[in-house]
Amino acid sequence: TGEEGGLLLRASLLQVRGGAKLGGPQLADGLGNVLCFNGEIYSGLSELGQGVNDGAALLSELGASPEGGAAGVFSRLRGPWAAIFWEEGTQTLWYGRDVIGRRSLLRFKGDDRLVLSSVSLSPFDAPEEVRSAWEEVPPGIYSVSLASAVGSNAVPEPLHHEWVDPIPAALAQRGKEEPSSGPGPTEGGLDVMASAEHLLRLLRNSVKLRCSLVDHRYDHSQGVGDLPQAKVAVLYSGGLDSAILAALAGEAVEGPIDLINVCFVGGKSPDRLAALEGLRDLSESGREYRLVEVDSTLQEVDAMRSRLLQLLQPTETIMDLNIGASLSIAARCKGRLKRFQDGGIVTVSEDYTSAARVILCGQGADEQCGGYGRHKTKFQNGGWPALSKEIEHDVNRLWRRNLGRDDRVISDQGREARFPFLDEDVALSLHKMAVEVKCDPLKPLGEGDKQVLRVMAKNFLPGLARASQRPKRAIQFGTRIAKLANARDFGSNRAANMASAGSVVLPEFDAVGR
């Protein structure tokens, strides 16, 4: 807004739900209300169900003058969302993100305007003061009364609304309590097996929700002939987290599931080898899994570098580029198709593109369950309280460090990422779970890290015995993109490690370098 008091709303559409195709990305009712919505609502609205578009249902409820107003409606939503809502009757602009921050929403804070967008609108090579003015909107519900801004050159400061629903309110408090001192894994009668079984029930429901609410896929998939089309894909490394999601998706989906695996070294990366083993193990259940081998190179990443840099903002490190490139190329879901047949793995198509619009991803498992090497280091230096504090620190910065970036690069390929480990019920259960149940840094790698998930996979999910023992390997290392980039840009992996390459700001974003 400015002297003219203008308001401009624009949106684009990736529709996954609803029996009828929407006429446009902006939803408007007869009352002058307008909603721009990015996300998935699994519950919290009265008009939800199979074949119902959740964005249209949200606008209907917002326009019905509900008790608690718009803030109450947004607070009750379950699922990942980012939204901008113009409420005509009160001349109020509402915006926000779910309490975990699973969908991207940025704000420009460079002048008297209020600019909100899923992606940065400033070129990646813009002056530093312009580019750095974009920031991730913290999870929450915000409103700006434009009625009071008429005749003013400045937009009023946004009003932040508290979560009134108990579940997001509890999740918003994570990290604000005193960390548990921890009785130690052999004291206090801790039952890891019972905790794993309880978590499995919640995670099974989370995956089922995210697999069932899919009303649209692409009209055809390339290179499959008469093969049935996949409704859902899984970003699949062959490791623990993706194997759990693949196994649970197999329970929830009738028909094939495409397992998407990306590699930058001609099919010889650790993740590719683990994925081939995992395909065999999963297929022994009798369900239909298909592996999509997505092969790429640094040259392909260089060709798409400008596009990636635009999407990455405001994240800006070499690690962000390596992860973003891996996710973006994987989200094309295009490559060699293989399946397990007659006791062996056979190639079905050399040039296949999945029809699935939804990709299940394992984000949040490591942060919530103590899966990183630094978690063990924190325990060694400060015991259980330090470990507990580090896990909560990782969880509370997911929205800023990972989720906005991942949403942007995956949705740019016309796919929607869904994160079962970040379901509200799953996240709240893990928050309440004793840290020494979630992980045990006194045990070896591949056993104590993400302990509760390893126990779950080994004891309750057939075919995951090998996956339950695989050590953590981040996507940039498992695909080998980091090793290739380090050798080219730093001379060797050792030199890159000495320079802490992952946290180095990309040259295009380095104000000093420019």
Side-chain angles (χ1 to χ4, degrees):
T1 63
E3 292 184 356
E4 298 179 357
L7 176 65
L8 176 64
L9 297 173
R10 291 178 178 172
S12 57
L13 176 67
L14 170 61
Q15 185 177 356
V16 179
R17 291 169 62 183
K21 290 186 177 181
L22 297 179
Q26 294 172 190
L27 300 170
D29 60 16
L31 304 174
N33 301 315
V34 182
L35 174 68
C36 297
F37 178 72
N38 171 24
E40 295 293 329
I41 303 172
Y42 300 126
S43 64
L45 297 176
S46 57
E47 299 179 14
L48 277 182
Q50 198 72 40
V52 175
N53 180 267
D54 49 345
L58 174 59
L59 178 61
S60 175
E61 197 138 330
L62 287 168
S65 301
E67 183 178 354
V73 174
F74 284 122
S75 185
R76 292 193 297 272
L77 302 182
R78 298 287 182 274
W81 60 268
I84 301 171
F85 172 60
W86 171 248
E87 188 174 34
E88 175 69 18
T90 61
Q91 295 287 286
T92 301
L93 186 71
W94 296 84
Y95 65 94
R97 300 169 78 179
D98 70 80
V99 69
I100 299 173
R102 292 162 287 183
R103 289 292 179 262
S104 175
L105 188 63
L106 306 180
R107 180 184 177 184
F108 182 78
K109 295 189 67 176
D111 51 32
D112 292 333
R113 298 174 298 163
L114 171 63
V115 184
L116 301 164
S117 177
S118 294
V119 297
S120 171
L121 301 180
S122 299
F124 69 85
D125 56 357
E128 169 68 12
E129 63 272 15
V130 175
R131 187 187 57 76
S132 62
W134 288 96
E135 63 180 14
E136 298 270 3
V137 173
I141 305 166
Y142 305 88
S143 67
V144 177
S145 173
L146 297 189
S148 61
V150 175
S152 171
N153 291 330
V155 177
E157 277 298 307
L159 177 65
H160 178 240
H161 300 263
E162 296 295 328
W163 300 99
V164 295
D165 189 89
I167 291 181
L171 290 171
Q173 292 301 310
R174 291 181 300 180
K176 298 178 182 178
E177 312 98 331
E178 286 296 318
S180 168
S181 60
T186 60
E187 304 174 23
L190 298 170
D191 192 338
V192 178
M193 192 76 73
S195 296
E197 194 169 13
H198 172 70
L199 182 62
L200 176 59
R201 286 195 293 270
L202 298 177
L203 194 55
R204 179 175 277 128
N205 183 62
S206 172
V207 171
K208 184 178 180 181
L209 266 176
R210 285 155 178 80
C211 289
S212 61
L213 294 175
V214 182
D215 297 314
H216 295 271
R217 67 188 92 186
Y218 287 105
D219 292 337
H220 61 84
S221 39
Q222 177 183 326
V224 297
D226 295 330
L227 286 177
Q229 297 179 1
K231 177 181 179 182
V232 171
V234 178
L235 184 61
Y236 187 68
S237 67
L240 173 67
D241 312 332
S242 62
I244 290 173
L245 296 184
L248 294 178
E251 296 177 6
V253 174
E254 292 184 6
I257 296 170
D258 285 345
L259 308 175
I260 313 300
N261 180 269
V262 64
C263 174
F264 289 88
V265 287
K268 300 185 183 300
S269 65
D271 279 4
R272 178 60 53 79
L273 299 177
L276 287 166
E277 282 187 356
L279 174 64
R280 182 185 295 269
D281 293 343
L282 287 167
S283 298
E284 289 179 354
S285 67
R287 299 184 178 96
E288 187 176 0
Y289 292 95
R290 308 186 301 208
L291 182 66
V292 184
E293 295 183 332
V294 182
D295 291 326
S296 188
T297 63
L298 277 187
Q299 290 70 32
E300 184 175 19
V301 175
D302 289 342
M304 57 192 295
R305 187 180 180 99
S306 295
R307 180 68 175 176
L308 286 169
L309 294 178
Q310 190 65 40
L311 294 168
L312 290 177
Q313 297 181 81
T315 59
E316 58 182 13
T317 68
I318 289 176
M319 180 182 68
D320 291 313
L321 177 61
N322 288 337
I323 294 174
S326 300
L327 292 174
S328 179
I329 291 169
R332 294 176 184 172
C333 300
K334 180 178 175 61
R336 185 182 303 106
L337 184 68
K338 291 185 175 180
R339 68 181 178 187
F340 184 74
Q341 181 178 312
D342 299 328
I345 295 176
V346 300
T347 298
V348 180
S349 172
E350 291 288 346
D351 186 17
Y352 169 80
T353 302
S354 177
R357 291 192 186 187
V358 169
I359 305 178
L360 301 184
C361 303
Q363 278 84 336
D366 290 298
E367 289 81 1
Q368 296 179 106
C369 299
Y372 290 116
R374 63 176 175 271
H375 292 144
K376 188 164 189 170
T377 301
K378 284 291 182 180
F379 174 78
Q380 292 169 340
N381 294 334
W384 295 105
L387 172 58
S388 179
K389 186 175 181 180
E390 182 70 9
I391 288 175
E392 293 299 341
H393 176 65
D394 281 345
V395 168
N396 285 330
R397 64 180 179 176
L398 265 170
W399 62 272
R400 178 189 293 113
R401 190 169 182 177
N402 303 69
L403 296 176
R405 174 199 67 202
D406 297 351
D407 180 41
R408 292 189 291 273
V409 297
I410 291 175
S411 61
D412 184 61
Q413 295 291 349
R415 316 277 177 178
E416 180 180 86
R418 295 185 179 179
F419 310 122
F421 287 106
L422 293 174
D423 174 86
E424 288 88 348
D425 291 334
V426 172
L428 190 57
S429 177
L430 284 169
H431 171 60
K432 293 179 178 179
M433 190 179 294
V435 65
E436 54 273 32
V437 171
K438 291 185 281 194
C439 58
D440 185 354
L442 296 172
K443 293 180 179 178
L445 186 67
E447 182 181 352
D449 51 313
K450 295 186 286 191
Q451 173 180 246
V452 69
L453 296 182
R454 296 187 185 281
V455 169
M456 174 198 300
K458 181 179 180 180
N459 294 279
F460 301 112
L461 292 172
L464 298 196
R466 285 198 286 187
S468 72
Q469 300 173 14
R470 289 196 180 103
K472 160 70 180 174
R473 188 177 285 114
I475 189 171
Q476 66 269 34
F477 304 121
T479 63
R480 285 294 189 251
I481 186 176
K483 184 175 183 179
L484 293 175
N486 287 345
R488 183 186 68 180
D489 299 336
F490 292 89
S492 68
N493 254 337
R494 182 175 181 179
N497 291 336
M498 292 179 65
S500 299
S503 59
V504 171
V505 174
L506 289 158
E508 292 90 344
F509 293 158
D510 189 344
V512 175
R514 292 192 298 165

